[in-house]
Amino acid sequence: MILTCPKCFSADDVRPPRRLPDRVLHHRCTNENHGDHEWFTTAGPPTAAAAAPHRVTDDLLEPLKKCVREGEPFVEFGIVEHRLRGMFPDLFAAHVAEQGHSMFGSRPYTASSVRFGVALGRLEQAGELVSEYGPATGAWHYNGQVTYWAKTAAPGRRSWAEYCAENGRSPEWTDRDRLGLAHP
């Protein structure tokens, strides 16, 4: 299997993965056009459901651009996803119904990873957004680290846990989060 970088969509500069605990693989691409880029996957071959062709994420591009606000610091992925659900509930629900979500239990590939994450990566590739890795918080903590997103590189970060505290909600998944959503 040939692994391509989610930032440059090339396999040319992808280094062999490092195995980490819990079947996690650490990947690194050293493409000169974007500098070192790192990401994590679970060990094992991807399934057909994990491959999200661009057309599957086309409907997410414009909505996700609206979920990352001009002038704010890098925001944790969970904030972007929470905004997507709030601003575009039917779109969010449709992708979760097709691909699942970790709030319903562990799955190797979810709407978060192979739909929302892929669309955000496409926006970064197009120059619409920038990302960096940072600590995963709250319901996302099991990832260790996740992407943080911004319109332009700005100092500072805002985590999911901070966002939840500011908005008076739990940083963990709740029954309210699952309300109205179906999963495969």
Side-chain angles (χ1 to χ4, degrees):
M1 176 177 87
I2 297 174
L3 184 69
T4 60
C5 172
K7 196 159 189 165
C8 65
F9 302 103
S10 171
D12 296 342
D13 300 303
V14 175
R15 301 291 172 238
R18 277 187 2 197
R19 290 191 177 279
L20 301 174
D22 297 330
R23 299 179 4 100
V24 174
L25 298 175
H26 173 241
H27 303 278
R28 186 167 66 104
C29 178
T30 58
N31 185 302
E32 291 179 10
N33 293 324
H34 61 60
D36 282 4
H37 177 67
E38 298 178 358
W39 70 101
F40 298 86
T41 62
T42 55
T47 63
H54 286 329
R55 71 182 182 283
V56 174
T57 60
D58 284 349
D59 61 343
L60 292 166
L61 298 176
E62 288 303 315
L64 281 168
K65 276 199 302 192
K66 294 176 182 174
C67 296
V68 179
R69 299 178 180 152
E70 193 68 49
E72 72 181 347
F74 283 92
V75 295
E76 189 174 347
F77 174 84
I79 297 171
V80 177
E81 186 176 287
H82 189 259
R83 289 176 180 168
L84 178 68
R85 182 177 184 176
M87 295 165 62
F88 304 92
D90 294 339
L91 178 65
F92 180 87
H95 282 276
V96 169
E98 290 176 12
Q99 195 61 53
H101 197 284
S102 62
M103 73 175 81
F104 295 107
S106 180
R107 292 177 59 101
Y109 303 103
T110 64
S112 298
S113 62
V114 299
R115 299 284 179 88
F116 310 146
V118 167
L120 286 165
R122 289 179 63 196
L123 290 169
E124 184 174 36
Q125 182 70 23
E128 301 279 345
L129 299 177
V130 293
S131 74
E132 66 180 26
Y133 280 98
T137 65
W140 305 100
H141 76 278
Y142 67 92
N143 286 309
Q145 68 176 359
V146 293
T147 49
Y148 283 65
W149 296 91
K151 291 277 186 186
T152 57
R157 284 189 188 147
R158 188 168 177 215
S159 75
W160 170 245
E162 292 166 333
Y163 175 83
C164 290
E166 292 166 8
N167 289 286
R169 66 153 284 145
S170 170
E172 302 300 329
W173 300 127
T174 66
D175 289 339
R176 186 173 179 176
D177 291 322
R178 291 182 270 281
L179 188 66
L181 295 177
H183 61 97

